[in-house]
Amino acid sequence: MSGGLLFDPATIRALAEILRDTELTEIELVDKESRIRLARQLPAPVIAPAAALPPMAWAPAPAAPGAAPIGVPPAAQVPDDEHPGLVTSPMVGVAYLSPEPGQAAYVSLGARVEQGQTVLLIEAMKTFNQIKAPRAGTVTRILIESGAPVEYGAPLLIIE
Amino acid sequence: MSGGLLFDPATIRALAEILRDTELTEIELVDKESRIRLARQLPAPVIAPAAALPPMAWAPAPAAPGAAPIGVPPAAQVPDDEHPGLVTSPMVGVAYLSPEPGQAAYVSLGARVEQGQTVLLIEAMKTFNQIKAPRAGTVTRILIESGAPVEYGAPLLIIE
Amino acid sequence: MPLRKVLIANRGEIALRIHRACQEMGIATVAVHSTVDATAMHVRLADESVCIGPPPARDSYLNMAAILSAAAITGADAIHPGYGFLSENADFAEMVEAHQLTFIGPTPGHIRMMGDKIAAKDAMRRLGVPLVPGSLGALATFEEARIVAQEVMYPVLIKAAAGGGGRGMKVARAESELEDAWRLARAEAKAAFGNDEVYLEKYLDRPRHIELQVLADTHGNVVHFGERDCSLQRRHQKLLEEAGSPVLGQADRDALGAQVTRALRELGYRNAGTLEFLWQDGQFAFIEMNTRLQVEHPVTEMVCGIDLVKEQLRVAAGEPLGYDQSDVRFHGHAIECRITAEDPQSFAPSPGRVGTYHAPGGLGVRVDSALYSGYVVPPHYDSLIAKLVVHGGTRAEAIARLRRSLAEMVVDGIATTLPLHRAIVEDAEFQAGDYTIHWLERFVAGRQGG
Amino acid sequence: MPLRKVLIANRGEIALRIHRACQEMGIATVAVHSTVDATAMHVRLADESVCIGPPPARDSYLNMAAILSAAAITGADAIHPGYGFLSENADFAEMVEAHQLTFIGPTPGHIRMMGDKIAAKDAMRRLGVPLVPGSLGALATFEEARIVAQEVMYPVLIKAAAGGGGRGMKVARAESELEDAWRLARAEAKAAFGNDEVYLEKYLDRPRHIELQVLADTHGNVVHFGERDCSLQRRHQKLLEEAGSPVLGQADRDALGAQVTRALRELGYRNAGTLEFLWQDGQFAFIEMNTRLQVEHPVTEMVCGIDLVKEQLRVAAGEPLGYDQSDVRFHGHAIECRITAEDPQSFAPSPGRVGTYHAPGGLGVRVDSALYSGYVVPPHYDSLIAKLVVHGGTRAEAIARLRRSLAEMVVDGIATTLPLHRAIVEDAEFQAGDYTIHWLERFVAGRQGG
């Protein structure tokens, strides 16, 4: 194979060394004709269950009634959290999907939005703050209900 | 390799560095012909140093003056500890190499001993207890001085 | 003669407890340990340590010759036996004194006297301490048992003279049950203790276990530090203790204390001791005396503001108490939870490696424990791994503090009784202080059923 | 009106401290936190939590709108500000009250008064509290400074009216140095605070820092809980505090306490507060009043047997104290060590991941800390990670207990000031209580040199 990628023991040893030195857990090289993948598990942690989670064993703080996104520990949050199109709350307050009760929502699922377009309101300290779309795109998820309390960083919408 | 993407150790190490510095867990580069992917798990174990060692950081207890083998934590003991020919103390007491002060030692370095032959005395509770060779062989190390206090399991001699 | 170096003939939290008192008094410590305890906390912190034998207690912590040799080679001038192991072994105390060492505890004679349950009761009866009504010593014949039972009234209990731990102990609720109880108790006593002597006493059906902490110096001064309520027991193992008892007031405390300190002064007792009583309907009945420090001594320390182990050390060095009963004041309320390495439902032992150990903190919280993260609880010894002790201005505050500290405490990797304690503090009867020595068995059974 | 749910507008050990008090009183808690504190102890233990902003304090813990919004969406009825952050911000207290929430602290007016050093001194002078001799308020001219300096006698100190943290503060040891000091202090004051007003007072060259803890209800009752000696400071940061002061007796305490409580009763003060004094040659001189809970409040709790945070909560709910000065008793001695994530020689901050955290235990030891094994100390906030507090029957016992608990405490993975505290307790001058506010700087310099 071109360049002798496959199976060259010296290459594999070299890659393995890199893997170890750099504390990587996986290296994968692929070209047209071949693929090489090295992986290792980290030395087993002493406290196995603590490996992925904070070590304390307390139960997560229960959320307040009617305050769904409040008090949920980060570990329990949905993977939507890391979605590149995620719009999060820039403040603590109460989120509203429409300008006033009974009126139409700013956006609905599947709607096309322009950059800078108001997508919802957050009321904080009796002030209504317009939350604007950071980019143009399609609203693929609405993660809150109108009137829900939101904390800083709370996931609001996904615009793709 | 075409474009030099694949397998250039310097590139991989540089990527690994980026991965570490930025606390990413994965980097994937793809071009027309090839793909390179690096991944790592976050340094997971909460109490990493506890894996091999007891975690406490206290200094070892200082030995009493004139009581050399007493109070030495096991970790600090010589590798002789694990020698297959090691003879250890079956009791706490004071070890003597000769039957009485001024008399010749039971055994000397390099001496040949028979199984069951007395090799030293341990005084405990005003009683002198004969310590006998557990096997025949040659005395290759004497690990105590006459009159030294010894704890249970303390290394006394090596007979090979 | 002040103590310079104390050998601590114990392990676990109590060895650490004694080490801390010594260290704060400028007294050097010698830890003794079995091979499996080489990295235990009491060994790590001691000034010196001596390995005295392999893991089984009989070859190490009960090995008197090894312990005395360890004292000799380290030049210790006193031995503190802690609780359990050799702490109530009169022969050991005698050997310690024969080697010109100070035994931090009572005289061998008093240990021996109180180790014999009948002799102990005889002594206390003579000294005017209230007892459970019953036979004056061992019963010679069944007929004698029948007569005494009629006198004290049914239900009655037949107990092995050499007994302990509930063995050789039978209840007869009416005369028709007496002969069976008599026969079975004697058979069990013979099998368990090689001695079929039995005695009889009135059976108290809903007693509390209340004990009184005393301390005597070698100059004839005796004080008490009030009572502990240790009624929460399962199979005669105490699980949670309080000071004071929810059912006693200062007048009850003063009255019992006056009787007991007078008796011990007459006896010439020295050092710390605890008199255990059953209490029912306002009456105390002496059951036994422990001639040593107790596991649950911290609750007394918390309400009296004293350090009992330091007092033991001072008294053992010949110092006079330096205060009298009127100087002993009681503040607030204290509760101790014994956290053991046991399954909280089945009580199956759960030795092994502790993952994370996190002690609760803050005001009014004390933890006595030799645990640390990564410590391996060995299978050879008692399962007690930590004592969580809280103090509050009132019993209600102590319970609230206990609840929040139990919620903060983490012992990962092994099963512990923490969940059981968390359930107990939520129970309304416990909160009301409304329990007897039978309460916990039922509570545990209810949890197992539910 | 009893409090049902308290929002704790703070982080770290003090947020945990307040949470514990609330929980023991059956009051629900709301933790607020920055994104970096999502796994912090105060968040983990609180009944509810709200993320209020990104790591910088100005965007989270100092973000009044976010905190009030968090109170609104969680339905909290009161806010405890802890210490630092918004605790002495009168505008915040005002906003809290404007939102019909209870501010757990003094009135905005008193916070504002005591926040202005000159106004605070004017008030205390009027109320008969002793001050450092000096100018009555800001100096209009240099000539005025010269006259006052002659009156109070050199050495004198010129200080920024708006000052704090040692900035805008210059010593003149003789009249020849006065003009330089005047010019430099004004320039620094202008640069640091945008206000070049300065005042002058007698410079005390070897004072102790002694402060008095007070508590007032909303019914006109004021008590004090004695003094704390906080002389061990480095760059105006307290490192170790004691209650009581090694140089005061009960008569001194009573005399100062009577002056201060009378003054605060007249002022109509409410909730907790601390008056800070310099003390030299038997004379107290008021320097400032902190209108909040102090970091070092636990030493007071240990000697008085009270829970200051619970008292704050009770008083904020409108309850009367329920006791008077004669009910406040002092028992033994307490010492607090502030353990910070700093290099013990250079004091360079040392944030990062804690490996093993092991708190010392046993009798008379209290640890207030939000640390846990594996916790990452963020670089954005104060470096205080733990307060080790010990109590003993005497100062000597407290020091012995401190020594042994410092030896037991483990915080791996980051640099901490534990080694410095271990060195301090071994020092003969510290042991003798023989120190001023300059002692620690010299002690630290000696260690750095050596």
Side-chain angles (χ1 to χ4, degrees):
Chain A
M1 79 156 268
S2 52
L5 180 60
L6 273 188
F7 159 66
D8 174 9
T11 302
I12 293 173
R13 277 185 185 278
L15 285 170
E17 246 174 66
I18 293 173
L19 201 63
R20 200 187 52 228
D21 293 350
T22 55
E23 296 190 8
L24 292 173
T25 55
E26 196 172 335
I27 297 179
E28 191 172 1
L29 306 182
V30 184
D31 70 9
K32 271 178 304 199
E33 294 170 7
S34 56
R35 186 167 82 96
I36 182 169
R37 180 172 168 278
L38 281 82
R40 67 194 266 269
Q41 287 182 311
L42 289 180
V46 188
I47 307 163
L53 288 170
M56 289 318 201
W58 295 293
I70 305 299
V72 177
Q77 283 169 358
V78 286
D80 287 335
D81 268 23
E82 285 155 30
H83 195 287
L86 185 67
V87 180
T88 61
S89 175
M91 66 188 73
V92 184
V94 178
Y96 294 99
L97 293 173
S98 54
E100 279 181 47
Q103 292 198 358
Y106 286 106
V107 293
S108 53
L109 213 56
R112 172 85 198 163
V113 295
E114 295 310 314
Q115 187 178 348
Q117 180 182 334
T118 297
V119 291
L120 46 75
L121 292 182
I122 294 182
E123 179 191 1
M125 305 291 291
K126 293 169 186 158
T127 307
F128 287 86
N129 304 277
Q130 296 183 335
I131 307 302
K132 295 175 191 291
R135 85 208 69 201
T138 304
V139 175
T140 60
R141 296 205 56 181
I142 298 176
L143 299 160
I144 44 142
E145 287 181 28
S146 204
V150 291
E151 61 186 342
Y152 174 85
L156 303 173
L157 304 172
I158 293 177
I159 300 174
E160 291 184 89
Chain B
M1 217 138 295
S2 49
L5 178 60
L6 275 187
F7 172 60
D8 173 9
T11 302
I12 294 174
R13 282 186 185 272
L15 286 170
E17 244 174 68
I18 294 173
L19 201 62
R20 200 186 51 229
D21 293 348
T22 54
E23 295 191 10
L24 292 173
T25 55
E26 197 170 321
I27 295 181
E28 191 170 0
L29 304 182
V30 184
D31 70 8
K32 271 178 302 201
E33 291 174 8
S34 56
R35 185 163 79 93
I36 182 168
R37 179 170 167 277
L38 282 81
R40 66 193 270 268
Q41 290 179 311
L42 287 181
V46 184
I47 306 165
L53 287 170
M56 290 317 202
W58 295 293
I70 304 301
V72 178
Q77 283 170 357
V78 287
D80 287 336
D81 268 25
E82 286 157 27
H83 194 288
L86 184 68
V87 180
T88 62
S89 176
M91 66 188 73
V92 184
V94 178
Y96 294 99
L97 294 173
S98 55
E100 279 182 47
Q103 293 198 0
Y106 285 108
V107 293
S108 53
L109 215 57
R112 172 86 199 160
V113 295
E114 296 309 315
Q115 187 180 344
Q117 179 181 336
T118 298
V119 291
L120 46 75
L121 292 182
I122 294 181
E123 181 192 358
M125 306 290 292
K126 292 169 187 160
T127 306
F128 288 87
N129 303 278
Q130 296 182 336
I131 306 302
K132 296 174 190 295
R135 84 208 70 197
T138 302
V139 176
T140 59
R141 297 205 55 180
I142 299 176
L143 299 162
I144 44 140
E145 287 182 27
S146 204
V150 292
E151 60 185 343
Y152 174 84
L156 303 172
L157 304 172
I158 293 177
I159 299 174
E160 292 185 90
Chain C
M1 166 201 58
L3 306 179
R4 291 176 307 100
K5 189 189 278 191
V6 169
L7 184 145
I8 301 165
N10 218 301
R11 64 180 301 283
E13 68 85 20
I14 196 62
L16 183 59
R17 168 73 189 88
I18 297 161
H19 165 78
R20 285 169 168 160
C22 290
Q23 203 181 28
E24 291 178 12
M25 293 174 79
I27 299 170
T29 56
V30 178
V32 294
H33 64 91
S34 69
T35 48
V36 78
D37 276 343
T39 58
M41 187 82 105
H42 74 286
V43 179
R44 288 158 171 265
L45 288 176
D47 295 307
E48 294 170 61
S49 68
V50 181
C51 180
I52 51 167
R58 67 177 174 279
D59 300 323
S60 49
Y61 298 104
L62 292 171
N63 183 340
M64 301 187 212
I67 291 168
L68 287 165
S69 296
I73 64 175
T74 55
D77 50 20
I79 294 184
H80 195 307
Y83 54 68
F85 292 134
L86 297 169
S87 63
E88 291 181 293
N89 186 313
D91 295 341
F92 179 64
E94 231 157 39
M95 284 170 74
V96 169
E97 298 194 342
H99 282 74
Q100 268 71 54
L101 301 172
T102 300
F103 181 77
I104 299 167
T107 60
H110 286 145
I111 296 174
R112 195 165 280 128
M113 172 189 282
M114 299 304 166
D116 176 333
K117 312 270 168 184
I118 290 179
K121 288 194 174 169
D122 282 348
M124 290 301 167
R125 182 181 293 113
R126 264 199 327 273
L127 294 163
V129 174
L131 270 77
V132 184
S135 62
L136 294 169
L139 296 161
T141 63
F142 173 68
E143 183 53 25
E144 198 182 328
R146 216 179 47 79
I147 291 164
V148 177
Q150 277 176 344
E151 277 168 22
V152 304
M153 293 191 295
Y154 288 89
V156 298
L157 195 61
I158 298 187
K159 292 169 88 171
R167 285 173 302 174
M169 200 186 277
K170 294 291 155 195
V171 177
R173 300 195 172 268
E175 187 160 330
S176 59
E177 295 178 15
L178 190 66
E179 193 164 353
D180 273 358
W182 161 265
R183 207 178 48 245
L184 287 169
R186 280 166 54 99
E188 272 191 32
K190 181 78 179 176
F193 314 110
N195 175 353
D196 66 0
E197 279 194 322
V198 294
Y199 61 103
L200 180 149
E201 57 186 35
K202 182 162 178 62
Y203 176 60
L204 301 173
D205 56 344
R206 46 189 172 78
R208 300 178 80 105
H209 174 122
I210 295 180
E211 60 189 28
L212 194 81
Q213 176 69 56
V214 295
L215 180 72
D217 65 16
T218 52
H219 307 274
N221 303 301
V222 185
V223 295
H224 72 90
F225 293 107
E227 82 287 359
R228 296 184 285 260
D229 196 320
C230 310
S231 302
L232 292 200
Q233 306 184 355
R234 182 185 166 275
R235 302 196 180 165
H236 301 273
Q237 297 297 311
K238 296 168 186 167
L239 203 86
L240 180 150
E241 299 99 346
E242 309 194 46
S245 169
V247 296
L248 296 194
Q250 189 62 43
D252 307 305
R253 185 174 301 128
D254 290 345
L256 180 69
Q259 281 182 315
V260 166
T261 50
R262 190 171 50 237
L264 293 193
R265 210 170 289 120
E266 204 171 318
L267 197 62
Y269 192 78
R270 75 168 193 216
N271 217 285
T274 298
L275 287 88
E276 298 193 331
F277 295 89
L278 292 179
W279 178 95
Q280 187 172 315
D281 305 323
Q283 300 298 313
F284 286 97
F286 171 82
I287 45 174
E288 65 180 61
M289 177 166 184
N290 295 320
T291 54
R292 53 164 170 86
L293 192 66
Q294 308 252 121
V295 176
E296 60 271 26
H297 75 277
V299 289
T300 299
E301 295 181 323
M302 302 302 271
V303 295
C304 294
I306 48 131
D307 186 322
L308 271 174
V309 179
K310 285 188 185 171
E311 293 303 287
Q312 285 194 294
L313 292 163
R314 282 207 311 114
V315 160
E319 286 186 48
L321 286 184
Y323 48 84
D324 62 24
Q325 192 62 50
S326 66
D327 297 313
V328 178
R329 300 288 168 76
F330 300 89
H331 299 281
H333 192 90
I335 305 178
E336 170 183 284
C337 289
R338 300 193 189 190
I339 319 292
T340 59
E342 291 177 315
D343 183 279
Q345 297 269 347
S346 69
F347 293 89
S350 171
R353 182 178 294 273
V354 173
T356 296
Y357 166 61
H358 186 86
L363 178 58
V365 176
R366 164 180 175 184
V367 180
D368 277 30
S369 174
L371 278 193
Y372 54 85
S373 295
Y375 174 69
V376 177
V377 178
H380 310 85
Y381 313 108
D382 189 90
S383 60
L384 182 68
I385 51 171
K387 300 189 310 202
L388 169 59
V389 187
V390 296
H391 181 256
T394 60
R395 185 168 186 268
E397 186 178 49
I399 290 175
R401 191 157 279 157
L402 183 58
R403 184 195 286 117
R404 76 102 178 136
S405 9
L406 283 166
E408 289 177 21
M409 189 163 187
V410 179
V411 182
D412 267 357
I414 57 172
T416 75
T417 46
L418 273 170
L420 175 58
H421 287 289
R422 290 182 186 128
I424 290 171
V425 293
E426 299 302 336
D427 184 88
E429 285 177 340
F430 170 73
Q431 289 174 5
D434 179 17
Y435 53 74
T436 70
I437 61 168
H438 305 298
W439 187 89
L440 183 64
E441 299 267 10
R442 280 199 297 267
F443 183 78
V444 167
R447 275 166 53 83
Q448 286 165 339
Chain D
M1 168 201 55
L3 307 179
R4 290 177 310 99
K5 189 188 279 192
V6 169
L7 183 144
I8 301 165
N10 217 301
R11 65 180 300 284
E13 69 85 20
I14 196 62
L16 183 59
R17 169 73 188 90
I18 297 162
H19 165 78
R20 285 169 169 162
C22 290
Q23 204 182 28
E24 292 179 11
M25 292 173 79
I27 299 170
T29 56
V30 178
V32 295
H33 64 91
S34 69
T35 49
V36 78
D37 277 344
T39 58
M41 187 82 106
H42 73 284
V43 179
R44 288 158 171 265
L45 287 177
D47 295 307
E48 294 170 60
S49 68
V50 180
C51 180
I52 52 169
R58 67 176 174 281
D59 300 323
S60 48
Y61 298 105
L62 292 171
N63 183 340
M64 300 187 213
I67 291 168
L68 287 165
S69 297
I73 63 174
T74 56
D77 48 22
I79 294 184
H80 196 306
Y83 54 69
F85 293 135
L86 297 169
S87 62
E88 291 180 293
N89 187 313
D91 295 341
F92 179 65
E94 232 156 41
M95 284 170 73
V96 169
E97 298 193 342
H99 282 73
Q100 268 70 55
L101 301 172
T102 300
F103 180 77
I104 300 167
T107 61
H110 286 145
I111 297 174
R112 195 165 279 125
M113 171 190 283
M114 299 305 166
D116 177 333
K117 311 269 167 185
I118 290 180
K121 288 193 175 170
D122 282 349
M124 290 302 166
R125 184 180 291 113
R126 266 198 325 274
L127 294 164
V129 174
L131 270 75
V132 184
S135 61
L136 294 168
L139 295 162
T141 63
F142 174 68
E143 183 53 22
E144 198 183 325
R146 215 179 47 77
I147 291 165
V148 177
Q150 278 177 344
E151 278 169 21
V152 305
M153 293 191 296
Y154 288 89
V156 300
L157 195 62
I158 298 188
K159 292 169 89 171
R167 285 174 302 177
M169 200 186 278
K170 294 290 155 197
V171 177
R173 302 195 171 269
E175 185 158 333
S176 59
E177 296 177 14
L178 190 65
E179 194 165 354
D180 274 359
W182 162 264
R183 208 179 47 246
L184 286 169
R186 281 166 53 98
E188 271 191 31
K190 182 80 180 173
F193 313 110
N195 174 353
D196 67 359
E197 278 194 322
V198 295
Y199 61 103
L200 179 148
E201 58 186 33
K202 182 160 178 62
Y203 176 61
L204 301 173
D205 57 344
R206 47 190 172 77
R208 300 178 80 105
H209 174 121
I210 295 180
E211 61 189 30
L212 195 81
Q213 175 69 54
V214 295
L215 180 72
D217 64 17
T218 52
H219 307 274
N221 303 301
V222 185
V223 296
H224 73 89
F225 293 107
E227 82 287 0
R228 296 182 285 260
D229 196 320
C230 311
S231 302
L232 292 201
Q233 306 185 355
R234 180 183 166 276
R235 304 197 179 164
H236 300 274
Q237 296 298 310
K238 297 168 186 168
L239 202 86
L240 181 151
E241 300 99 344
E242 308 195 48
S245 169
V247 297
L248 296 194
Q250 189 61 43
D252 307 305
R253 185 174 299 128
D254 289 345
L256 180 69
Q259 280 182 317
V260 166
T261 50
R262 190 169 50 236
L264 292 192
R265 210 171 287 121
E266 203 172 318
L267 197 63
Y269 191 79
R270 75 167 193 216
N271 216 285
T274 298
L275 287 88
E276 298 193 329
F277 295 89
L278 292 179
W279 179 93
Q280 188 172 314
D281 306 324
Q283 300 298 314
F284 286 97
F286 171 83
I287 45 176
E288 64 180 63
M289 179 167 182
N290 296 319
T291 53
R292 54 164 168 84
L293 192 64
Q294 307 251 125
V295 176
E296 60 271 25
H297 75 278
V299 289
T300 298
E301 296 181 322
M302 302 302 270
V303 296
C304 293
I306 48 130
D307 186 323
L308 271 173
V309 179
K310 285 187 185 170
E311 292 304 289
Q312 285 193 293
L313 293 163
R314 280 208 313 118
V315 160
E319 285 185 48
L321 286 184
Y323 47 85
D324 63 24
Q325 192 62 51
S326 66
D327 297 313
V328 178
R329 300 288 168 76
F330 300 89
H331 299 281
H333 191 90
I335 305 178
E336 170 183 284
C337 289
R338 299 192 190 191
I339 318 292
T340 60
E342 291 177 316
D343 183 280
Q345 297 269 347
S346 69
F347 293 90
S350 171
R353 183 179 292 273
V354 173
T356 295
Y357 166 60
H358 186 86
L363 178 58
V365 176
R366 165 179 174 184
V367 179
D368 277 30
S369 174
L371 277 193
Y372 54 85
S373 296
Y375 175 68
V376 177
V377 179
H380 310 86
Y381 314 107
D382 189 89
S383 60
L384 181 69
I385 50 171
K387 302 189 309 204
L388 169 59
V389 187
V390 295
H391 181 257
T394 61
R395 184 168 186 268
E397 186 178 49
I399 291 175
R401 191 156 279 158
L402 183 57
R403 184 195 286 116
R404 75 101 179 139
S405 10
L406 284 166
E408 289 177 21
M409 189 163 185
V410 179
V411 183
D412 268 357
I414 56 172
T416 75
T417 46
L418 273 170
L420 175 59
H421 286 289
R422 290 182 185 128
I424 290 171
V425 293
E426 299 302 335
D427 184 87
E429 285 177 341
F430 169 73
Q431 289 174 5
D434 179 17
Y435 54 74
T436 71
I437 61 167
H438 305 300
W439 186 89
L440 184 64
E441 298 268 8
R442 281 199 298 269
F443 182 78
V444 166
R447 275 167 53 85
Q448 286 164 340

